[in-house]
Amino acid sequence: MPESWETWDYTLYIPNDLRAAAISRRTLRLILTMHGLIGLVDTAELLATELVSNAVRHTKGPAALRVRRTPEGAVWIGAWDTDPAPPEPPPTFDQVAELEEEGRGLALIRACADYWGWQPSARFGNRGKYVWCELAVVQDGTPEGPVRGAA
């Protein structure tokens, strides 16, 4: 494994518009493909869609999608929104089966990402929060192995 990976950081600022999830998904696919991480695209698209959909659906202000590669090789995907309230704790998969149409997003993130979390944040002069997840990868650009966050 190399001592240090190529690092990069992209931010896509999005309006409060339901089309933002599709635009973010396509942008993320392009970023990962251009950086040789095609093996992450399907999982990363799912995670980004959930993060951005929550940011747009549950707030009234602008949002942002951030994608970055860390020196350790992980890919971080996060969404900032204008609501400073923490996200609801994700349900377990047993609880997900009982849910109607909403409330499954963070359970998917918890199951598919190696790590996830949130933190208070500010952009555009607005208080808000940043909800993120991490995907670890090996040198060939594929996921590292068993998902640690699925427990």
Side-chain angles (χ1 to χ4, degrees), residues 127-146:
R127 289 179 358 140
K129 69 178 166 298
Y130 180 68
V131 182
W132 57 269
C133 60
E134 177 182 311
L135 296 171
V137 295
V138 294
Q139 190 167 1
D140 68 357
T142 59
E144 187 175 66

Side-chain angles (χ1 to χ4, degrees), residues 35-103:
H35 284 285
L37 297 169
I38 193 72
L40 289 182
V41 169
D42 291 338
T43 302
E45 280 184 327
L46 172 68
L47 299 177
T49 298
E50 293 300 332
L51 292 170
V52 170
S53 293
N54 284 344
V56 171
R57 192 176 307 147
H58 300 296
T59 67
K60 303 238 183 290
L65 171 71
R66 184 175 181 198
V67 183
R68 70 184 182 103
R69 181 86 182 260
T70 69
E72 298 77 29
V75 173
W76 278 53
I77 303 165
W80 172 84
D81 66 47
T82 57
D83 183 358
E88 293 290 324
T92 65
F93 271 112
D94 294 335
Q95 296 168 325
V96 166
E98 299 169 8
L99 297 174
E100 296 287 326
E101 292 295 315
E102 294 185 9

